[in-house]
Amino acid sequence: MRLTPTERDRLLLFGAAELARARRARGLKLNVPEATALIADTVCEAARDGRRLAEAIEAARAVLGPGDVLPGVADVVTEVHVEAVFDDGSRLAVVADPIGGGSLGADAPGAVLAGPGHPELVPALTVTVLNTASVPVSVTSHFHFFEANPRLDFDRAAGYGMRLCVPAGSSVRFGPGESAEVGLVPIGGDRIAIGFAGLVDGPLDAPGAKEEAMRRAAACGYLGADRGADR
């Protein structure tokens, strides 16, 4: 049987998770690799069952508790990243605090502490988005929202230079025919958009960049590109 590298990785993960399940069934407490594999596999299996990203993450966070793992494991396994195949495509799931009950807390080596004035997730603006496609469309946290799926109908000009106001690694799913209001925040850093849908491919704030991107979006049939072009 010929398997792709992704399929081999999935089978390896499943085998490790099955070992973890068997050991837990014998009353053994899990170590770091076992706990990580079981959490990640739970996400993948939930995706295979047709559950949404948020539901898969919640299932993974519920599969283990502090009493299921060896001492210190909850302090080490603070976040699990796994790519799973959902009904609307491959998605990166970030399972934060998957075990809970860590005893080291903010004093743990390598702990991340928010500095003074750490920004909260407060949107700079909100837009109403209608998915006109016949399939679900998901947009990840740091995707340049202006360049999101052309079948999403919203004010493209308002979305220029913006991203979703959601935690890093998460996403928003728009069901077929569904309309939703989402918050946006400006893209930070050097504000350079490379890739995505290829409508910008350069500095967002360069002279004429927005006008040219709007022209390209309209020419390619992106819904909403005819609105607010003068902003």
Side-chain angles (χ1 to χ4, degrees), residues 75 78 104-114:
D75 295 308
T78 58
L104 299 179
D107 296 327
V112 178
L113 303 178

Side-chain angles (χ1 to χ4, degrees), residues 78-101:
T78 58
E79 194 169 78
V80 174
H81 294 218
V82 61
E83 186 171 326
V85 181
F86 292 83
D87 288 346
D88 54 351
S90 295
R91 309 273 294 283
L92 176 65
V94 180
V95 186
D97 191 24
I99 300 171

Side-chain angles (χ1 to χ4, degrees), residues 13 17 20-21 24 30 33-43 63-64:
L13 175 61
R21 292 186 184 97
R24 186 172 66 163
L30 304 184
E34 293 162 350
T36 302
L38 183 53
I39 293 163
D41 184 70
T42 300
V43 172
V63 73
L64 289 176

